[in-house]
Amino acid sequence: MDNSPLQVLTIPTAPYPDQRPGTNGLRKKVYVFQSRRNYLHNFIQSIFSSIDLRDRQGSTVVVGGDGRFFNQTAIEVIGQMAAANGVGRLIIGHHGIMSTPAISCVIRKYKAIGGIILTASHNPGGPDGDFGIKFNTANGGNWRGGSMQGHMPSPANDGVTNKIFQISRTIEEFAICPGLKVDLTTLGKQMFDLENKFKPFTVEIVDSVESYANLLRNIFDFSALKELLSGQNHIKIRLDAMHGVMGPYVRRIICEELGCPANSAINCVPLEDFGGQYPDPNLTYAADLMDSMRDGQYDFGAAFDGDGDRNMILGKHGFFVTPPDSVAVIADNIFCIPYFQHTGVRGFARSMPTSAALDRVATATKIELYETPTGWKFFGNLMDAGRLSLCGEESFGTGGDHIREKDGLWAVLAWLSILAYRRQGVEDILKDHWMKYGRNYFTRYDYENVDIDAACEMMEDLEILIADKSFARQRFAVEDKIYQVEKADNFEYTDPVDSTITRNQGLRIIFSDGSRIIYRLSGTGSEGATVRVYIDSYEKEHIFEETQVMLAPLATIALKISQLHHRTGRSGPSVIT
């Protein structure tokens, strides 16, 4: 066996112009990474080169992914390049698998310089699917990314994203240690001697669940949850991991530790192609879970996305809790969670497209509310400044300040904590909430893989239309409802912490009764554009009606103003949430 030090090579390369990371990192079709020479290597080198050499030398970096196709290939390359770029230690999840919330936890626990997350979240996997690479900084959270809003990617506010992108555009070489082979199957440390390096390079394969589980034990009352889930009068639950990363977490924490029967958790084996399904916890893609809830044998249901940061909450008979309602209910019952009894509540926040249900709780409890652009990084900045405790996005993301990512299992345990404390079902808790605060009816229409030019032209024309002063006085009538425009703009956000301004975050039409129509272009897919239309309307009296019926007049207005179907060639949305 050859024990000589491993060779470090510098390989010439040529740049690619399309490695600008979006809000959730760099996402492309798998074949892009496979077929374009050094495409992966270029981006990984750009990440390492964005970190000052003095900070990089001997540092710790965390690596993990959602188990999708190409995950292990990418980890091998990251290991070889981390060693060659002076990183001292890599902490990798067992088998290369670690949820996004767990990676955020581990970055913070081990004071790592950052983490590389291999995921395309809720996008499809497999050889024909998507692959993504995201770099989280030392706080455990997102760097401020670009957005397709305003039809041009906006510049990075704090420079990290832009630095990576600029390096990727001019890269001429990368450093790699091709002889380095990491065994992802064996827990423990592996040491590698490298040429011209005084200290060996260390790889530590860690239990993917344990650090994160320990964090949750210090947030929630596990004894109360165990009584709820496996005590004398226990409830029946059904959790769907959608063949993503959450399977091992659900089995260990919910089933083994909190005592739920093993058959409470389904689709718990992570698969490279997620079983051929979209690992997206919504009413369209988690239809199997919804169907299994309908007959009433389960009191509570939840689904998670591919990398474990998103969640969907269901009650008995498949009663659906919208994400904006979910974060509002958690806010109103926040002291059911021991963590907040100890820390207090510093602030609430929601992304701008998310309904204003949380605002009403904030007003009633006299807790500061922040309305931010879409992207968890904006919440992270508020958390780091000690201004924020609980936040949520309409895109099925909910979380607290324990980490700097949205956290699907945290949200589920938060809901179960409320059920344990209040001894009510999900539907009763929500109906009580509406009776107390009124109800924000909310829906989102997604038009996926729309021609990018058509989508951008539509958004540009729409912005010109709503920017005209005469638009602010217009009235729209549908059936017996009349809506008068009070305000229309392209949302911009001034960060209260560092005063940075983020522009072009979505076109808003706000009516005199507080109802809102919002249009956004999203770039989290790997091809085409996704046009999203959000509709939010507040009702104090008619709180138990069907959402789509209540919002139909506003939906008609939204499509009429934008001419969306005509401009995109679509007859209807791909997904309605």
Side-chain angles (χ1 to χ4, degrees):
M1 184 176 170
D2 184 6
N3 287 322
S4 58
L6 296 168
Q7 199 175 15
V8 177
L9 301 179
T10 302
I11 309 290
T13 190
Y16 290 95
D18 64 344
Q19 293 196 329
R20 179 188 286 277
T23 308
N24 294 293
L26 181 71
R27 288 188 188 169
K28 302 286 179 186
K29 286 291 181 187
V30 169
Y31 67 76
V32 173
F33 290 96
Q34 287 179 318
S35 63
R36 294 189 187 173
R37 184 176 173 81
N38 299 330
Y39 194 84
L40 171 67
H41 300 71
N42 281 17
F43 191 69
I44 299 301
Q45 183 62 57
S46 300
I47 290 174
F48 288 131
S49 296
S50 74
I51 305 165
D52 190 280
L53 184 60
R54 289 166 298 181
D55 296 329
R56 206 163 70 218
Q57 290 289 356
S59 65
T60 297
V61 173
V62 181
V63 180
D66 59 14
R68 67 179 55 235
F69 185 81
F70 202 66
N71 194 58
Q72 298 207 357
T73 304
I75 289 175
E76 181 168 282
V77 170
I78 291 166
Q80 293 169 349
M81 294 185 67
N85 277 278
V87 172
R89 173 172 68 156
L90 272 194
I91 296 174
I92 305 177
H94 197 202
H95 301 293
I97 286 177
M98 197 185 292
S99 75
T100 293
I103 291 173
S104 184
C105 161
V106 171
I107 290 170
R108 294 166 69 83
K109 177 181 175 180
Y110 288 96
K111 296 182 169 53
I113 199 168
I116 297 175
I117 305 175
L118 304 172
T119 179
S121 189
H122 53 291
N123 291 13
D128 299 321
D130 295 353
F131 189 74
I133 305 168
K134 185 169 83 153
F135 180 65
N136 279 18
T137 53
N139 74 343
N142 299 95
W143 25 291
R144 298 222 186 156
S147 164
M148 285 177 65
Q149 287 309 316
H151 337 304
M152 282 286 289
S154 61
N157 291 334
D158 65 3
V160 180
T161 307
N162 227 27
K163 197 170 180 184
I164 292 169
F165 177 52
Q166 295 304 336
I167 292 166
S168 79
R169 290 174 65 185
T170 56
I171 189 169
E172 294 179 348
E173 59 186 31
F174 60 85
I176 191 164
C177 184
L180 193 149
K181 304 293 181 189
V182 174
D183 176 9
L184 296 176
T185 64
T186 307
L187 292 170
K189 288 184 180 176
Q190 301 165 39
M191 314 284 276
F192 302 91
D193 288 317
L194 309 184
E195 269 183 353
N196 304 321
K197 305 277 183 185
F198 295 115
K199 287 185 177 176
F201 174 68
T202 304
V203 174
E204 198 170 333
I205 308 298
V206 298
D207 183 305
S208 304
V209 179
E210 190 48 43
S211 291
Y212 173 72
N214 201 45
L215 180 65
L216 295 181
R217 289 182 198 110
N218 291 318
I219 293 171
F220 299 102
D221 182 346
F222 269 37
S223 62
L225 291 172
K226 189 166 187 175
E227 181 65 25
L228 176 76
L229 297 175
S230 57
Q232 196 170 359
N233 297 310
H234 67 86
I235 65 170
K236 284 187 75 176
I237 71 171
R238 191 153 179 93
L239 304 181
D240 189 348
M242 302 189 83
H243 290 301
V245 76
M246 286 309 293
Y249 295 84
V250 168
R251 280 178 167 167
R252 284 266 292 281
I253 297 168
I254 301 290
C255 298
E256 292 174 24
E257 186 154 355
L258 297 178
C260 259
N263 63 4
S264 303
I266 59 171
N267 300 323
C268 279
V269 178
L271 298 176
E272 288 190 333
D273 66 348
F274 308 111
Q277 305 298 314
Y278 278 66
D280 195 353
N282 61 38
L283 296 174
T284 300
Y285 297 121
D288 287 353
L289 174 68
M290 193 71 172
D291 291 343
S292 69
M293 296 288 296
R294 287 192 203 283
D295 66 3
Q297 64 170 311
Y298 299 105
D299 303 293
F300 178 89
F304 306 97
D305 72 338
D307 65 324
D309 59 355
R310 298 175 195 241
N311 72 94
M312 178 176 73
I313 303 294
L314 299 173
K316 202 164 191 163
H317 303 292
F319 180 87
F320 173 60
V321 181
T322 68
D325 275 343
S326 179
V327 70
V329 168
I330 294 171
D332 196 41
N333 295 276
I334 199 161
F335 294 115
C336 296
I337 301 168
Y339 174 86
F340 294 111
Q341 295 169 17
H342 299 141
T343 65
V345 180
R346 299 180 181 96
F348 297 138
R350 62 169 175 83
S351 64
M352 181 275 288
T354 302
S355 92
L358 181 62
D359 306 35
R360 302 182 192 285
V361 179
T363 300
T365 54
K366 295 182 169 61
I367 290 169
E368 187 79 27
L369 178 108
Y370 301 92
E371 182 182 31
T372 72
T374 296
W376 212 258
K377 54 193 172 266
F378 298 101
F379 297 145
N381 221 33
L382 293 166
M383 288 175 185
D384 287 347
R387 296 190 181 204
L388 179 59
S389 298
L390 173 73
C391 50
E393 292 184 332
E394 47 68 38
S395 53
F396 296 88
T398 320
D401 62 352
H402 59 298
I403 56 172
R404 296 296 179 269
E405 288 280 6
K406 47 188 172 269
D407 191 342
L409 189 52
W410 180 94
V412 166
L413 292 178
W415 264 95
L416 291 172
S417 299
I418 295 166
L419 265 59
Y421 182 83
R422 290 186 48 168
R423 288 285 160 190
Q424 284 178 286
V426 171
E427 186 171 351
D428 288 342
I429 288 169
L430 208 62
K431 286 183 173 177
D432 283 356
H433 185 88
W434 294 336
M435 288 170 74
K436 181 177 177 182
Y437 291 106
R439 180 177 178 185
N440 279 80
Y441 287 93
F442 177 82
T443 192
R444 183 179 100 187
Y445 288 9
D446 288 10
Y447 295 81
E448 297 173 344
N449 294 325
V450 172
D451 178 78
I452 188 109
D453 293 332
C456 287
E457 283 176 22
M458 183 198 81
M459 293 293 284
E460 284 162 7
D461 289 348
L462 185 56
E463 184 168 5
I464 291 166
L465 175 72
I466 69 168
D468 191 292
K469 283 181 180 167
S470 65
F471 186 79
R473 294 187 297 275
Q474 282 200 31
R475 300 173 77 182
F476 294 90
V478 179
E479 295 161 4
D480 60 339
K481 299 275 282 186
I482 297 173
Y483 295 90
Q484 180 158 349
V485 177
E486 187 170 280
K487 180 183 177 183
D489 64 8
N490 192 333
F491 179 63
E492 68 176 49
Y493 173 69
T494 302
D495 194 304
V497 178
D498 57 24
S499 298
T500 52
I501 298 171
T502 307
R503 296 184 170 88
N504 301 320
Q505 291 301 303
L507 303 180
R508 300 190 298 176
I509 301 170
I510 302 169
F511 297 94
S512 55
D513 68 346
S515 297
R516 302 184 306 156
I517 297 170
I518 292 147
Y519 305 87
R520 289 186 73 249
L521 265 184
S522 171
T524 58
S526 63
E527 58 184 349
T530 297
V531 179
R532 293 200 166 104
V533 183
Y534 311 80
I535 301 168
D536 173 20
S537 184
Y538 177 71
E539 288 280 349
K540 184 68 183 167
E541 305 296 332
H542 306 288
I543 56 175
F544 299 130
E545 307 303 320
E546 281 293 320
T547 296
Q548 297 303 327
V549 172
M550 293 297 286
L551 295 180
L554 279 168
T556 300
I557 293 167
L559 295 174
K560 180 182 176 184
I561 292 171
S562 63
Q563 297 183 295
L564 196 151
H565 289 171
H566 171 68
R567 299 292 295 267
T568 63
R570 299 295 177 89
S571 58
S574 316
V575 178
I576 296 176
T577 303

